[in-house]
Amino acid sequence: MPDVTVPQWAAQIGISKQAAYKRLKSGKVKLNSRGLIDTESAAAQWEANKDAWQSQRGAPKRTARASHELRSGESGRRYAPQEDRASFSEAQRAREWLRVKREKLAVEVIEGKLVAVAEVEAAWSAMILTARNRLLLLPDKVAPRIAAVSDVEECRAILEYEIWAALTALSEHQPNVQSIS
């Protein structure tokens, strides 16, 4: 195709003159040495440099004729390989999904639906330590009382009472763990 002026090129591809000059200013399309636009190379430059998300931001859908104009001559070869454009789009999509997941997790932490692993581990450690200490104290606490009692049922009742007291204290245990702010 012949070299054309910027307004002629804008009319050919169906965009405003302002949009055409914006493409030139951003460097996505370049003028040749004579200050004109080679339509084939401009299509290739635009295709190689455009934002992959443009179609999702409200850009009009490309017609079959516009897609055909992006091909080089009769060979049908595209300037930017399809797999390169697809991989870039996939990378952008994956990055957006990660951002969405991160924001969702942040909201769940704020709402108190999620807590840090370190908090849970600290709470369990405190509960286990409390249970261990209470159970280790039972022999020293109960032995003098049991030694004075000769009745088996009374010994059993003393042991049962102390074990239940230790378990109740464990079930009512409130660890001193602060939540994430």
Side-chain angles (χ1 to χ4, degrees), residues 123-138 163 165-167 169-171 173:
W124 274 103
S125 294
M127 289 177 67
I128 290 170
L129 187 61
T130 301
R132 176 186 163 271
N133 291 340
R134 292 290 301 238
L135 293 174
L136 288 175
L137 286 175
L138 278 179
I163 290 171
L167 292 174
L170 181 61
S171 70
H173 178 76

Side-chain angles (χ1 to χ4, degrees), residues 34-46:
R34 297 183 309 166
L36 299 173
I37 295 179
D38 176 23
T39 55
E40 286 184 15
S41 67
Q45 291 169 5
W46 172 250

Side-chain angles (χ1 to χ4, degrees), residues 5-6 15 41 64 67 101-102 105 109 124 135 143 147 154 166 176:
T5 64
V6 175
I15 62 172
S41 67
S67 294
K101 285 181 181 181
R102 194 175 327 124
L105 288 174
V109 166
W124 274 103
L135 293 174
E154 198 172 338
N176 187 13

Side-chain angles (χ1 to χ4, degrees), residues 46-61:
W46 172 250
E47 195 62 32
N49 295 321
K50 74 176 183 175
D51 185 2
W53 288 98
Q54 180 184 10
S55 62
Q56 294 181 6
R57 289 194 306 245
K61 299 291 182 197

